[in-house]
């Protein structure tokens, strides 16, 4: 069973995970859960999705994951794995047919170092959004973001590749993409104007089948995010 509508407190627990697939516990607008979903789609893994109402979490979900966060992967053996990067790496190892991480230890380390660097960029997006809502000046924050985007752009220039791991989409691209999909939501897409190679990367990512399969429009992201910030998230928005 796959569920688009979210399971809230009082919802019946889903049955066991079918033997031939895995189950993703998710939330339709969560960028972190999107990472795991991208990996599942890119690797062609058979899976079902259970969306969770993150303000009214079912008890059975909290039993699986007391922190109550998504994404969460559950296997037919009852193995439960959480956190976006960990679930994504777990799936890449569990289903080795189409590897997204490099084969060499150094190649893997390079992608993980880049992801660590990128993890310092994402808080900037939320800071800018919060400051704008308060009517604060964001020019300093945007200048910092542009500098970080410049560093990413230089990485592509030096590597002379279409994507961050080479000339095909790999693990690092999928880990970064959900936040670039939301640049319009954060109203910072102009911060890409001085980074031509990074801009080309976003255009190439938009053509990726996994990205196309699950992406939301900027308008939908904005509506959900604004409702979320107002304390009234509609986890089933658009259904």
């Amino acid at each position: 069973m796959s569920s688009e509508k979210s399971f809230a407190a009082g919802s019946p627990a889903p049955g066991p995970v079918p033997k031939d697939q895995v189950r993703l516990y998710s939330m339709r607008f969560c960028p972190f859960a999107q990472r795991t979903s991208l990996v599942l789609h890119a690797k062609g893994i058979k899976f079902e999705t259970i969306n969770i109402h993150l303000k009214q979490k079912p008890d059975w979900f909290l039993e699986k994951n007391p922190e109550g966060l998504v994404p969460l992967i559950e296997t037919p053996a009852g193995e439960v794995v959480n956190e976006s990067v960990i679930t994504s790496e777990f799936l890449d190892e569990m289903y080795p047919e189409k590897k997204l991480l490099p084969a060499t230890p150094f190649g893997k380390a390079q992608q993980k170092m880049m992801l660590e660097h990128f993890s310092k960029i994402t808080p900037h997006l939320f800071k800018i959004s919060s400051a704008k809502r308060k009517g604060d000046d964001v020019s300093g924050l945007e200048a910092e973001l542009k500098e970080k985007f410049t560093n990413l752009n230089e990485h592509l220039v030096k590597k002379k590749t279409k994507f961050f791991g080479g000339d095909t989409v790999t693990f690092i691209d999928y880990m970064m993409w959900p936040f670039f999909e939301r640049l319009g939501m954060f109203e910072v897409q102009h911060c890409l104007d001085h980074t031509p190679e990074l801009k080309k990367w976003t255009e190439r990512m938009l053509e990726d089948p996994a990205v196309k399969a699950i992406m939301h429009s900027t308008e939908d992201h904005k509506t959900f995010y604004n409702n979320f910030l107002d304390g009234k998230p509609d986890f089933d928005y658009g259904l």
Side-chain angles (χ1 to χ4, degrees):
M1 62 178 289
S2 272
S3 150
E4 280 279 358
K5 291 214 167 186
S6 57
F7 279 57
S11 299
V17 180
K19 287 183 180 179
D20 62 341
Q21 57 189 271
V22 296
R23 177 178 292 156
L24 169 66
Y25 295 91
S26 184
M27 190 277 278
R28 292 168 56 241
F29 294 98
C30 174
F32 298 99
Q34 186 180 354
R35 286 173 162 176
T36 310
S37 187
L38 284 167
V39 169
L40 286 161
H41 277 87
K43 291 178 68 70
I45 298 169
K46 193 173 180 184
F47 72 102
E48 62 178 18
T49 302
I50 301 293
N51 287 311
I52 301 296
H53 192 299
L54 295 180
K55 290 290 186 183
Q56 301 170 21
K57 299 162 189 170
D59 289 341
W60 51 261
F61 178 68
L62 292 170
E63 287 173 13
K64 295 178 189 294
N65 184 18
E67 292 180 345
L69 301 176
V70 295
L72 189 77
I73 286 288
E74 185 176 11
T75 71
E79 299 159 327
V80 172
V81 182
N82 65 1
E83 299 291 343
S84 63
V85 177
I86 297 172
T87 53
S88 298
E89 188 171 355
F90 170 74
L91 291 166
D92 200 38
E93 292 181 1
M94 189 175 171
Y95 296 88
E97 292 78 16
K98 183 185 175 185
K99 292 289 283 185
L100 295 175
L101 275 165
T104 67
F106 181 61
K108 286 178 185 173
Q110 282 183 309
Q111 292 217 1
K112 290 179 181 181
M113 286 188 291
M114 174 159 279
L115 186 54
E116 183 63 24
H117 167 71
F118 183 73
S119 70
K120 295 175 175 63
I121 296 177
T122 53
H124 262 72
L125 300 172
F126 293 98
K127 282 181 187 174
I128 291 170
S129 172
S130 176
K132 279 185 177 179
R133 279 177 70 89
K134 294 175 186 172
D136 295 343
D137 176 38
V138 297
S139 56
L141 287 169
E142 287 191 349
E144 289 180 45
L145 182 62
K146 286 176 183 176
E147 183 182 348
K148 293 178 186 298
F149 281 172
T150 297
N151 292 336
L152 290 175
N153 188 75
E154 287 175 359
H155 180 90
L156 289 170
V157 171
K158 286 177 183 175
K159 281 183 71 85
K160 297 180 181 176
T161 56
K162 295 177 180 177
F163 300 96
F164 282 97
D167 284 324
T168 58
V169 182
T170 61
F171 189 86
I172 183 63
D173 301 292
Y174 287 130
M175 296 302 101
M176 293 166 60
W177 173 253
F179 297 93
F180 282 91
E181 183 175 308
R182 288 161 176 78
L183 291 187
M185 180 188 88
F186 291 116
E187 298 180 347
V188 294
Q189 60 269 58
H190 59 280
C191 292
L192 287 178
D193 289 347
H194 67 299
T195 56
E197 292 306 313
L198 186 58
K199 207 168 185 177
K200 286 178 192 172
W201 172 80
T202 65
E203 291 164 0
R204 293 184 187 112
M205 288 298 290
L206 285 168
E207 296 304 313
D208 179 76
V211 168
K212 290 167 82 170
I214 61 172
M215 77 177 294
H216 289 289
S217 69
T218 294
E219 206 52 48
D220 284 352
H221 278 308
K222 276 186 177 180
T223 301
F224 174 81
Y225 187 55
N226 287 331
N227 290 340
F228 179 82
L229 292 176
D230 289 337
K232 300 173 184 176
D234 180 0
F235 296 108
D236 295 331
Y237 174 75
L239 296 179

